[in-house]
Amino acid sequence: IRAVDEEGAKSENAYRSFTALTISPEVTIEVPRRNAFNPADVPPIATFRWTAKDYVNDLNSVQEPESVQYVLKSTVPFGGDYNKTLAYLRTPESAVDWSHWVYYKAPGDSGRSWTSPPQEFGTYMLAVRAKDEAGAITPVLDEQFNARRVRVSTRTTGPLFIMSNIYLGSVTTTSCSTPTTILDIPASVGLDFRLTATADSYGGTVSGYRYGWDIADLNDPEQWEVDFTPFVSEDDLKRPTAKTPARAFFFGTHIFTAEVIDNSGYCSRIEVKVNVVQFSMDRNLLIVDDFRTDENATAGFNNAAGRGILPSDAEHDSFWLSMVQNLEGFDPALDVIAPLQGGTVPLTKLASYKSIIWSASSDVSTRLIDQLPLLYTFILHRSSTGGSTASGKATPNVVALTMAAGGHVLITGQHPVQNVIPRSATTPRFPFIFLYELEGPQTGTPAVDKPTGTTDFAYRELCLETLDFAYTNNQRLRSRADFYCRVLPGLRSSAGSTRDDTMREALPLDPNFPKLTLRPEVTSLGKAYQPSEKGLDVEVYNAQYFMTFCQYVPSNSRSCFQPIYGVGCLDTGEKTYNQPVAFFTSAYADRVAEGSIGARSAVFGFPPVYFNPDEVRPAIEYIMFNEWKLPRKATSTASN
């Protein structure tokens, strides 16, 4: 810089040296989503959303831009050609079509979104650009990032609508003519529904919801319990959500209808027909034989090929019949049911019984659950996330419904609780923290106030915090290096380990129960569970060694979890030694059904059929006669 006077005399040069560098801000349109070069279908009134970032000096330093500018230009002046329309928007002449600059941090997200006025049907080009505080403007309009082809037309679908209930699961639709879902529910069990909706995928905005029971005329606003009401809360995914009050019915069939609508008038509707099932509970006990082994050629305690690793179907059936031999009125022809492969047990069948023994079989290393010869998977009762129930007859968690109706359940068998963990493309790994894990973050610190896990059956009805295993060679067990709770080394053995963390006996944690030892048919010389071989693979519940070292699990179990048995290992120094493998749950002990009493349910995380029947019978009878107050045969005595 230098100065010049009127006569042309020049001053000496004055200068400063500096380097100027700026990188123009970028914009990515998030709604509508990009689908190659196919136009996005949006309603006449559409909400478009984007994110923008401004680089500071280099691509590693990012901040928000100062402002944004957007345009929605009809392709009509350009013969309906998207390319020509976009080429026009790249020219200075298009300045009159662009909006004014909007502060990126403006209130109400108006710098990150824009709701259009009503548009005529037709095709448009949407573009957004940003400006940084130095005045640099996004120089390129690119259909991969900040430009979209848009088509405004009549829609055939409405918002994505998710209706969920803890017993039903979730029903999902984008239509106002969704076929009815049918649900059986015990009399007096209350039903509430969570309604969640979003129209973001096509640029709409959910305006409100309405619902009602037994509506004869959907066009009569007076018949809806709640007419269209704006959503006032959101779920963890920022989707509008609401919850209906619980309603209980004692007889008949009732229809619940709920509907959501977007800002252009497009709707989605779900109907649930509720059949009320009367729980007569006129019979004492039902055995659900879900432990079928007749398809395994090596099954049988005396089968040399199997070395006693698996009981035969006849041995399993005989064992359980011997457990109830002192129960008054038990009839094997009526009171034993074996579900067909892939089948379920109807709620109407369970409704006839005060108490249920459910003997299940699973395999923690089985990736595809439907490949097992027979397995009843307890249907998850989710509150708001994941999965959907197809329209038609729903298959709710009948075990949960039985407990909610006041029935009592003993769940037992091979990995019985593992059956209730949600399956996904990335199957769960163990140890499993029910409230905080569902293949969520495996490293770092999860948000304790926003659990990523599940409050379904195992957490609610069974009152469990964690699930682990005493011996398994499953390769999908959680890596100690990746698991954010940092399980200490030596807690679990792997194949070839010199440590022994397998079950040899069940040690009573409740003084009312006897010690259980493995039967000689599976522990004698040459058998699979002889002392020099492995012990029984079992589930471990709310293990204190795990709860002690993981800050995301309560250090003490909830009061509704009451241990019955602990793991008895050959090596008493094992971390799993004396950890709970059986327990009472009092979560529904206060539910008193007509003709029955309030009592706890129970879980045995191992198949009792592997243990000495003379030791197991007093344990089962304590549950039946002392806890459930079922009638004992007049000729039987406590000793037999």
Side-chain angles (χ1 to χ4, degrees), residues 468 491-492 540 543-549 575-576 579:
D468 203 357
L491 293 185
R492 180 188 300 101
V540 181
Q544 193 57 51
Y545 65 79
F546 186 67
M547 299 175 76
T548 299
F549 298 109
K575 298 290 185 181
T576 53
Q579 297 300 304

Side-chain angles (χ1 to χ4, degrees), residues 468-506:
D468 203 357
F469 290 91
Y471 182 83
T472 175
N473 59 4
N474 182 272
Q475 297 304 308
R476 290 182 291 107
L477 287 169
R478 193 175 311 285
S479 166
R480 297 188 188 97
D482 294 337
F483 184 48
Y484 54 73
C485 286
R486 301 183 301 279
V487 179
L488 297 184
L491 293 185
R492 180 188 300 101
S493 72
S494 58
S497 172
T498 58
R499 296 181 65 82
D500 171 69
D501 56 3
T502 61
M503 187 176 190
R504 306 298 173 131
E505 54 191 5

Side-chain angles (χ1 to χ4, degrees), residues 291-297 299 311-314 373:
F291 201 90
R292 196 175 73 185
T293 59
D294 56 352
E295 293 185 3
N296 192 309
S312 68
D313 194 53

Side-chain angles (χ1 to χ4, degrees), residues 263-295:
N263 57 338
S264 296
Y266 298 106
C267 78
S268 297
R269 182 189 305 132
I270 296 174
E271 285 188 339
V272 178
K273 178 186 288 187
V274 177
N275 297 322
V276 178
V277 177
Q278 299 296 326
F279 268 59
S280 64
M281 295 189 175
D282 50 2
R283 298 198 65 79
N284 291 320
L285 179 72
L286 174 70
I287 295 178
V288 179
D289 178 9
D290 204 4
F291 201 90
R292 196 175 73 185
T293 59
D294 56 352
E295 293 185 3

Side-chain angles (χ1 to χ4, degrees), residues 33 96 202 215 217 306 380 471 503 508:
R33 300 188 182 96
V96 296
Y202 59 85
I215 302 172
D217 183 2
L380 304 168
Y471 182 83
M503 187 176 190

Side-chain angles (χ1 to χ4, degrees), residues 159-474:
L160 173 66
F161 181 22
I162 305 170
M163 176 194 290
S164 53
N165 169 268
I166 61 173
Y167 304 114
L168 173 67
S170 297
V171 182
T172 303
T173 189
T174 57
S175 170
C176 232
S177 57
T178 308
T180 301
T181 298
I182 303 171
L183 173 67
D184 292 341
I185 196 81
S188 78
V189 172
L191 281 179
D192 56 40
F193 297 92
R194 183 171 295 278
L195 313 178
T196 304
T198 176
D200 285 353
S201 64
Y202 59 85
T205 300
V206 177
S207 298
Y209 66 94
R210 62 178 179 174
Y211 63 85
W213 286 93
D214 299 327
I215 302 172
D217 183 2
L218 298 179
N219 295 317
D220 182 2
E222 297 297 324
Q223 296 189 31
W224 292 81
E225 183 176 330
V226 172
D227 204 1
F228 279 119
T229 302
F231 287 94
V232 295
S233 59
E234 295 179 335
D235 65 5
D236 291 340
L237 299 178
K238 302 298 183 182
R239 302 174 302 189
T241 189
K243 189 175 183 179
T244 70
R247 289 282 298 273
F249 298 96
F250 296 88
F251 57 87
T253 297
H254 303 270
I255 297 178
F256 178 78
T257 305
E259 189 175 282
V260 296
I261 194 170
D262 71 6
N263 57 338
S264 296
Y266 298 106
C267 78
S268 297
R269 182 189 305 132
I270 296 174
E271 285 188 339
V272 178
K273 178 186 288 187
V274 177
N275 297 322
V276 178
V277 177
Q278 299 296 326
F279 268 59
S280 64
M281 295 189 175
D282 50 2
R283 298 198 65 79
N284 291 320
L285 179 72
L286 174 70
I287 295 178
V288 179
D289 178 9
D290 204 4
F291 201 90
R292 196 175 73 185
T293 59
D294 56 352
E295 293 185 3
N296 192 309
T298 63
F301 289 138
N302 295 316
N303 189 321
R307 298 194 306 130
I309 199 169
L310 191 69
S312 68
D313 194 53
E315 289 167 337
H316 175 269
D317 295 348
S318 176
F319 171 85
W320 280 109
L321 291 180
S322 73
M323 294 298 105
V324 298
Q325 65 185 20
N326 292 327
L327 176 62
E328 179 66 37
F330 186 85
D331 183 350
L334 296 176
D335 301 330
V336 178
I337 182 173
L340 296 175
Q341 182 173 343
T344 61
V345 179
L347 185 65
T348 51
K349 177 68 174 179
L350 302 182
S352 300
Y353 292 88
K354 297 179 180 68
S355 304
I356 315 292
I357 293 178
W358 199 301
S359 178
S361 177
S362 179
D363 186 350
V364 71
S365 63
T366 301
R367 184 173 293 275
L368 296 177
I369 198 167
D370 56 1
Q371 290 182 347
L372 297 178
L374 177 67
L375 175 64
Y376 182 78
T377 304
F378 301 112
I379 304 300
L380 304 168
H381 58 201
R382 297 174 178 274
S383 59
S384 62
T385 59
S388 63
T389 299
S391 299
K393 188 65 177 289
T395 53
N397 186 331
V398 292
V399 180
L401 287 174
T402 297
M403 296 174 69
H408 318 128
V409 182
L410 168 60
I411 299 171
T412 185
Q414 180 175 315
H415 302 153
V417 173
Q418 189 258 351
N419 296 343
V420 309
I421 294 178
R423 296 304 201 276
S424 64
T426 55
T427 51
R429 294 180 293 172
F430 302 93
F432 189 91
I433 315 173
F434 289 99
L435 188 59
Y436 293 105
E437 288 188 274
L438 197 57
E439 286 302 294
Q442 304 307 313
T443 58
T445 303
V448 176
D449 59 334
K450 292 183 178 180
T452 58
T454 173
T455 58
D456 290 337
F457 181 75
Y459 186 85
R460 291 167 55 95
E461 279 79 4
L462 300 190
C463 199
L464 288 179
E465 310 286 355
T466 64
L467 171 66
D468 203 357
F469 290 91
Y471 182 83
T472 175
N473 59 4
N474 182 272

Side-chain angles (χ1 to χ4, degrees), residues 544-607:
Q544 193 57 51
Y545 65 79
F546 186 67
M547 299 175 76
T548 299
F549 298 109
C550 179
Q551 61 179 303
Y552 310 111
V553 182
S555 58
N556 295 300
S557 301
R558 288 169 286 170
S559 60
C560 51
F561 176 86
Q562 295 140 22
I564 295 175
Y565 281 112
V567 180
C569 305
L570 191 63
D571 181 355
T572 59
E574 274 298 315
K575 298 290 185 181
T576 53
Y577 186 82
N578 221 24
Q579 297 300 304
V581 291
F583 63 93
F584 279 122
T585 170
S586 62
Y588 283 77
D590 60 342
R591 300 295 172 90
V592 180
E594 185 175 352
S596 185
I597 65 167
R600 296 174 292 181
S601 290
V603 174
F604 280 25
F606 55 88

